[in-house]
Amino acid sequence: MELRQFRYVIAVAEERNLTRAAERLGLQPPPLSRQIKAIEREIDAQLFRRKPRGVELTDAGRAFLDNARAVLAQVEHTFETTRRTARGEQGCISVAYSSTVAFHPLIPRIIREFREAFPLTLVEGYPEHLIERMQNEQIDVSFIRRLAPKAEGVDITLLLEEPMVVALPSGHTLAQGDDGRGAALSLKVLAGETFILFGDSPHGDWLLRNSAFVAACHAAGFSPRIGQVVPYISSRLNLIAAGLGIAVVAASLQHVNIEGVTFRRLKGATQLKAPLSLASRRGDPSPVVRQFLKLAKRTAKNFHVDNREAS
């Protein structure tokens, strides 16, 4: 049985008249009458009782009508769901982020706006692991700071760059300022300090990850003394609170309220910026991913404008 036959029965049942139903369907009454009889033969049940001025449903006809309406409603729902998914207006997306970007206020703003229209799942992890999972199609997009050189098939959308600040133990001499915010520090005055860096291990990729910072230190006239190398930002801040060293970190980490850590502005090292980017698979055909990228770029642009106007 075809969908149009369901529509024939519904039209006749609602109009209670073959002539009016035929006009509604754009048919002639005789062909419509033959179609109804063919349907009754196919299902071996009488759907309508013929009357002098129309038709009325039998009990079997009422059962058929209810189910026919349900079938057409489900079909239309299927079509609309498919169309919305194709337009990127419906679907689920897996969004990942590394610990180094989680504290920037742009991230929850993007996720909050997207969740108003789409379901999503969130995944936190180490940057290289997230990129690998994205390449293996286990996640769809990932907020990251920097992309590893060997990340093939990955596109990067730069959302914004933020300044760097110095995170110090609160009892450190350099943490004491002359005003409410504390005077900005130059890299040069940090020459004798021990730095806690971000990386998977002291013998891993820490130098590559921190190459811009090391180059800035060399430009300031010193080679940084490296203490601990840790994989998570929370570990860095806790070690700083314990007095084991200092770190140059993204300014958004000032939102983290950890007792024993004081943040000071960094001056002079203009090349030290913390990029906030969104990684996606190159050529990903998913309309939902395209919608997410579009929303993320628009939200980042508005975020930049809002901050500029507030300042």
Side-chain angles (χ1 to χ4, degrees), residues 8-157:
Y8 294 161
V9 173
I10 292 171
V12 173
E14 291 177 347
E15 298 295 339
R16 298 185 179 184
N17 184 281
L18 279 168
T19 300
R20 290 197 299 269
E23 291 176 356
R24 169 174 157 180
L25 294 167
L27 300 173
Q28 293 297 319
L32 177 58
S33 179
R34 288 194 294 270
Q35 286 286 342
I36 296 298
K37 290 178 180 178
I39 295 170
E40 291 176 324
R41 285 195 301 271
E42 182 175 348
I43 62 177
D44 194 22
Q46 183 180 357
L47 302 180
F48 297 99
R49 277 189 291 269
R50 278 66 177 177
K51 302 176 67 177
R53 298 197 177 191
V55 297
E56 67 178 10
L57 284 166
T58 63
D59 289 342
R62 278 188 286 272
F64 186 94
L65 176 64
D66 291 341
N67 285 283
R69 284 171 170 163
V71 168
L72 289 183
Q74 182 59 46
V75 169
E76 183 54 38
H77 174 73
T78 300
F79 289 167
E80 181 59 22
T81 298
T82 303
R83 287 190 289 264
R84 287 176 58 83
T85 300
R87 293 194 300 262
E89 297 174 359
Q90 183 170 308
C92 185
I93 186 172
S94 177
V95 179
Y97 60 93
S98 63
S99 62
T100 58
V101 306
F103 298 102
H104 197 288
L106 176 63
I107 305 303
R109 182 180 295 191
I110 292 173
I111 292 172
R112 183 171 58 250
E113 291 188 20
F114 198 78
R115 282 192 64 190
E116 292 178 358
F118 302 90
L120 57 80
T121 56
L122 294 174
V123 179
E124 182 179 5
Y126 199 68
E128 274 68 26
H129 300 163
L130 294 178
I131 294 298
E132 182 178 344
R133 292 184 65 184
M134 187 174 66
Q135 291 170 319
N136 293 333
E137 299 188 6
Q138 295 173 322
I139 59 177
D140 296 306
V141 295
S142 179
F143 291 103
I144 60 171
R145 286 295 183 188
R146 290 180 175 85
L147 183 64
K150 297 181 180 179
E152 297 179 359
V154 177
D155 282 334
I156 290 294
T157 300

Side-chain angles (χ1 to χ4, degrees), residues 166 168 172 174 184-195 213-225 246 248 265-272:
V166 185
L168 306 123
H172 196 291
L174 294 175
L185 302 175
S186 67
L187 269 179
K188 190 172 184 179
V189 304
L190 307 178
E193 302 295 330
T194 298
F195 290 91
F213 165 72
V214 173
C217 291
H218 290 165
F222 70 98
S223 294
R225 181 193 307 156
I246 70 171
V248 175
R265 290 171 293 136
L266 185 65
K267 66 178 182 181
T270 55
Q271 72 273 34
L272 280 181

Side-chain angles (χ1 to χ4, degrees), residues 160-228:
L160 54 80
E161 289 184 314
E162 58 177 313
M164 307 291 280
V165 297
V166 185
L168 306 123
S170 295
H172 196 291
T173 303
L174 294 175
Q176 316 307 314
D178 298 328
D179 55 26
R181 294 184 303 169
L185 302 175
S186 67
L187 269 179
K188 190 172 184 179
V189 304
L190 307 178
E193 302 295 330
T194 298
F195 290 91
I196 300 173
L197 298 185
F198 176 75
D200 58 357
S201 74
H203 308 292
D205 63 351
W206 70 267
L207 184 58
L208 179 62
R209 287 184 168 280
N210 297 275
S211 58
F213 165 72
V214 173
C217 291
H218 290 165
F222 70 98
S223 294
R225 181 193 307 156
I226 309 303
Q228 304 288 327

Side-chain angles (χ1 to χ4, degrees), residues 232-248:
Y232 297 105
I233 190 60
S234 57
S235 302
R236 295 178 77 188
L237 297 179
N238 285 327
L239 292 178
I240 292 169
L244 297 181
I246 70 171
V248 175

